[in-house]
Amino acid sequence: MEKSMAEMQQEVDRYISQFKEGYFSPLSMMARMSEEVGELAREVNHQFGEKPKKADEADNSIELELGDILFITICFANSLGIDLTEAHNKVMHKFTTRDADRWTKINTD
């Protein structure tokens, strides 16, 4: 089932809102995000780098690690009242204007 970013933010908020602890503080969320990015780096290194997994290591995946990063990103945004769709639109505007001629485009005549 396809979900919009707004629907994902609402879904995460419903999940977090059922717990007394609620969202972590911004500093704790930053630490969690850093941890998750490190776990993604480890998986990428195992799959594409020179460091194979140990025989007893858990079978994680890049997909799951990216999902963890998305979840913590949504938590972080929700805790600060940030609309991620709006944030995405602002970032895309920045890239399409600032970097409009930075890269070689496909099919340019």
Side-chain angles (χ1 to χ4, degrees):
M1 179 175 77
E2 300 251 343
K3 298 175 187 174
S4 70
M5 184 59 70
E7 289 169 328
M8 286 189 275
Q9 283 193 255
Q10 292 165 0
E11 181 179 24
V12 168
D13 192 60
R14 282 191 302 274
Y15 173 76
I16 296 295
S17 294
Q18 68 183 326
F19 304 109
K20 289 180 183 179
E21 294 81 3
Y23 290 104
F24 294 156
S25 70
L27 188 56
S28 291
M29 292 243 221
M30 191 67 236
R32 284 225 32 228
M33 185 175 287
S34 297
E35 290 172 10
E36 296 300 345
V37 170
E39 291 175 16
L40 173 63
R42 185 175 183 85
E43 288 302 316
V44 170
N45 194 25
H46 288 317
Q47 188 167 340
F48 300 105
E50 289 74 36
K51 185 179 179 189
K53 280 192 178 194
K54 297 176 189 172
D56 62 343
E57 276 190 271
D59 190 25
N60 293 337
S61 70
I62 292 172
E63 178 183 26
L64 290 176
E65 296 306 338
L66 285 170
D68 286 343
I69 291 169
L70 179 59
F71 179 80
I72 193 63
T73 299
I74 292 171
C75 286
F76 208 160
N78 284 356
S79 74
L80 298 174
I82 294 171
D83 178 332
L84 284 173
T85 300
E86 185 178 326
H88 169 78
N89 291 340
K90 288 176 180 178
V91 167
M92 288 308 299
H93 175 74
K94 176 180 72 172
F95 285 125
T96 58
T97 55
R98 182 190 72 187
D99 294 340
D101 298 315
R102 185 173 187 176
W103 309 107
T104 305
K105 293 185 179 174
I106 300 173
N107 297 326
T108 57
D109 297 329

